[in-house]
Amino acid sequence: WARFLRVVVLLAPPRRGCDAALLSCLARLAPSRVIYISCNPETLARDMKILAPLGYTAEEVTPFDLFPCTGHVEALVCLRRRADTEEIS
């Protein structure tokens, strides 16, 4: 299982986004890819700002309008860990 965990992690946090401690733990696990499903673009942007210096770059962002005629939008972001990122202990 340890080898599998280092490959892909799926994040689907509530509207308030991810806790900073969770993102720090994620960086220590060092998965090569993270799939982040967000229902709040503001907290997604905040969490992306935290993940970028931890070595993650967004490869693809796909918005989904699951609730037409409302201001709500979902987003799926595929992140990849940069090869030059040092291990965090």
Side-chain angles (χ1 to χ4, degrees):
W1 283 103
R3 186 177 63 118
F4 178 75
L5 288 175
R6 294 182 67 89
V7 176
V8 178
V9 169
L10 174 66
L11 293 176
R15 290 193 63 76
R16 69 179 178 270
C18 292
D19 181 277
L22 174 88
L23 296 176
S24 177
C25 181
L26 177 74
R28 285 193 302 278
L29 283 174
S32 59
R33 293 181 182 263
V34 175
I35 307 300
Y36 191 125
I37 302 169
S38 175
C39 60
N40 185 341
E42 291 177 13
T43 57
L44 171 62
R46 181 203 66 207
D47 292 348
M48 294 293 294
K49 284 182 183 178
I50 295 169
L51 288 169
L54 296 175
Y56 290 91
T57 303
E59 288 190 317
E60 186 175 342
V61 179
T62 306
F64 294 94
D65 187 7
L66 299 176
F67 307 101
C69 302
T70 70
H72 298 287
V73 65
E74 312 289 312
L76 184 136
V77 181
C78 299
L79 299 119
R80 181 183 293 266
R81 189 167 192 268
R82 292 188 311 270
D84 64 345
T85 304
E86 294 181 21
E87 293 289 325
I88 298 173
S89 53

